[in-house]
Amino acid sequence: MTVQTLSLLLSFAAILALTAIFLRVRLRAGAAKDYAPVQRRAYRFRAILFWGMVLVGLPATVWLLRITPYAAAPTGAQVVNATGAQWFWDLDRTDVAMGEPVEFNVTSTDVNHGFGIYDETGRLVAQVQAMPGYVNHLTHTFDTPGTYQILCLEYCGLAHHDMMTEITVTAAGGTNG
Ligand SMILES: [Cu+2]
């Protein structure tokens, strides 16, 4: 099962669960109940929820920040300057070597775009926002040679789906394949 299928199934499960909760609330809305015990239970549940989120969320946040992909690029990285515009990408180079870090400096001339790099199987390997007035830096080291597609990841107008370009990653030693 692909990650996409899994997230689709999880989304459906969450939608069904939410629908069930709403239906239950709607069906029981007419019944009279004493307020105090309900409130006590709800406050206890809220406290558990809060501390559960703190206990799980805090370590998860620290751990995820540690592996965030937006770390500073090492010196000597291959640099690609990329500019998004309605509706095309402008790259100052389209050939990079695998196994060495590539720093993408990404910006936009008009509206927000999403700079998404996809491998030959259609898997998203890295992404960053392309924003007017800012240059965002994305560092990625390709570990597989091939032709990667760059697609816009954020709806930016009528021809958003046409915002595509390619970048070629060559194996160390200069052969591509
Ligand atoms: Cu777009």
Side-chain angles (χ1 to χ4, degrees):
M1 186 188 298
T2 64
V3 179
Q4 281 89 346
T5 312
L6 181 67
S7 57
L8 181 74
L9 290 176
L10 285 177
S11 300
F12 273 132
I15 290 168
L16 280 180
L18 267 180
T19 309
I21 290 169
F22 274 106
L23 281 177
R24 185 164 183 271
V25 169
R26 177 67 190 88
L27 290 174
R28 293 164 58 118
K33 265 227 164 132
D34 276 344
Y35 184 62
V38 174
Q39 186 190 40
R40 211 175 312 121
R41 250 202 341 263
Y43 280 6
R44 203 180 318 128
F45 178 66
R46 191 175 66 177
I48 291 171
L49 207 60
F50 174 76
W51 287 110
M53 280 167 67
V54 169
L55 283 176
V56 174
L58 216 58
T61 305
V62 170
W63 183 70
L64 287 172
L65 280 175
R66 207 178 45 87
I67 60 164
T68 184
Y70 305 116
T75 48
Q78 314 169 78
V79 177
V80 177
N81 295 305
T83 305
Q86 285 166 318
W87 288 280
F88 57 90
W89 292 108
D90 182 30
L91 269 57
D92 70 346
R93 66 185 279 190
T94 54
D95 266 284
V96 295
M98 75 172 238
E100 294 163 31
V102 182
E103 184 183 2
F104 293 95
N105 300 324
V106 182
T107 188
S108 163
T109 58
D110 39 41
V111 299
N112 269 28
H113 300 280
F115 184 84
I117 307 170
Y118 292 79
D119 70 10
E120 287 176 351
T121 67
R123 195 175 71 96
L124 181 68
V125 297
Q127 63 97 17
V128 71
Q129 281 269 303
M131 300 156 72
Y134 295 89
V135 178
N136 286 327
H137 306 279
L138 168 70
T139 306
H140 183 71
T141 304
F142 294 92
D143 54 13
T144 313
T147 304
Y148 288 69
Q149 287 217 298
I150 291 164
L151 308 179
C152 184
L153 262 181
E154 181 159 332
Y155 183 72
C156 56
L158 271 186
H160 158 72
H161 60 279
D162 257 352
M163 245 178 109
M164 299 187 268
T165 190
E166 285 178 354
I167 191 162
T168 307
V169 176
T170 41
T175 49
N176 186 12

